[in-house]
Amino acid sequence: MSSGATLTATDYITHHLTNLKVGSGFWSFHLDTLIISGGLGLLVFLFLASVAGKATSGVPKGWQNFFEMVLSFVNQQVKDTYHGNHPLVAPLAITIFVWIFAMNAMDLIPVDFLPWAAQHASGNHHLPFKFVPTTDPNLTFAMSITVFLIMIYMNFKVKGFGGFMHEVFTAPFGPKLAPINFLFRVIEDIAKPISLSLRLFGNMYAGEMVFILIALLGLYQLPLALPWALFHILIITLQAFVFMMLTIVYMSMASESH
């Protein structure tokens, strides 16, 4: 950021970890998260639509070859994990993997570049701007809650109301312990979106914090930033894969009876 020389290390870290907000309290909106995540979603969609429009039936080349490998990989994970036949699961898994990977990959951009660009575009040199959406727990919770709602929908869709209620009140200890079964089911279902969101947020927030600390080292940052960036490529891919796989597992559990 342009005013970085006048800030203490604590001020610099705080500035980089502060979201651009409108509103206050519960009804505040993180504009940087909404802009970056929405923009990346649109760009990925348009890019994939362009690749699909140029696809040929012969031997795939270039981006077509790459994305066919990604689609084949994700589809194989769905086949190996999800034993139902609902048409929603594979597209959901592919969307989650590609979108989260794109958002995570923003962490590889130098930490001062996009905040500097946002500050100069707005004319406000103290404007906060977080450009890695997955370091915002609001976004990770929103995604995990969406997965949770789809999981509940799948339970009703596949098992019906009666079948789902029977499972909730009888598994795993039988109908005589229905209250305990219900309590365990509530705890289990609440834990799923919480753990799903916090895992992604925690790993990406920690990675972003390391980049910020490296940026504070001045001339010494290059020999540390490059190795960490190379290692971070594995982290951003792994976190997208884990979120996708857990989503598939939750969909599979919702489609199978105990």
Side-chain angles (χ1 to χ4, degrees), residues 68-134:
E68 282 191 9
M69 288 192 298
V70 173
L71 293 176
S72 297
F73 170 75
V74 174
N75 195 47
Q76 188 60 47
Q77 302 306 311
V78 173
K79 290 181 179 179
D80 292 342
T81 308
Y82 180 75
H83 304 296
N85 58 359
H86 201 284
L88 175 66
V89 178
L92 176 64
I94 292 170
T95 301
I96 286 174
F97 180 77
V98 174
W99 194 26
I100 292 181
F101 178 82
M103 291 189 289
N104 288 352
M106 297 296 290
D107 213 6
L108 300 177
I109 299 176
V111 294
D112 287 322
F113 178 71
L114 286 182
W116 174 86
Q119 290 161 8
H120 281 73
S122 65
N124 180 2
H125 295 295
H126 298 281
L127 184 77
F129 196 87
K130 283 180 66 177
F131 61 91
V132 185
T134 44

Side-chain angles (χ1 to χ4, degrees), residues 23-174:
S24 60
F26 179 80
W27 295 109
S28 64
F29 293 89
H30 292 182
L31 291 182
D32 41 15
T33 298
L34 293 172
I35 291 170
I36 297 296
S37 61
L40 284 174
L42 181 61
L43 287 175
V44 170
F45 173 79
L46 294 175
F47 181 66
L48 290 178
S50 174
V51 173
K54 299 175 183 177
T56 60
S57 58
V59 177
K61 298 179 180 179
W63 285 112
Q64 180 185 346
N65 182 48
F66 174 75
F67 282 111
E68 282 191 9
M69 288 192 298
V70 173
L71 293 176
S72 297
F73 170 75
V74 174
N75 195 47
Q76 188 60 47
Q77 302 306 311
V78 173
K79 290 181 179 179
D80 292 342
T81 308
Y82 180 75
H83 304 296
N85 58 359
H86 201 284
L88 175 66
V89 178
L92 176 64
I94 292 170
T95 301
I96 286 174
F97 180 77
V98 174
W99 194 26
I100 292 181
F101 178 82
M103 291 189 289
N104 288 352
M106 297 296 290
D107 213 6
L108 300 177
I109 299 176
V111 294
D112 287 322
F113 178 71
L114 286 182
W116 174 86
Q119 290 161 8
H120 281 73
S122 65
N124 180 2
H125 295 295
H126 298 281
L127 184 77
F129 196 87
K130 283 180 66 177
F131 61 91
V132 185
T134 44
T135 61
D136 185 351
N138 291 279
L139 180 131
T140 59
F141 267 103
M143 295 186 69
S144 66
I145 290 172
T146 301
V147 170
F148 173 76
L149 293 177
I150 296 174
M151 181 187 72
I152 297 299
Y153 162 77
M154 293 281 285
N155 273 292
F156 284 110
K157 180 70 174 179
V158 175
K159 303 167 187 175
F161 180 80
F164 183 40
M165 290 297 101
H166 179 268
E167 180 179 285
V168 168
F169 286 100
T170 62
F173 301 120

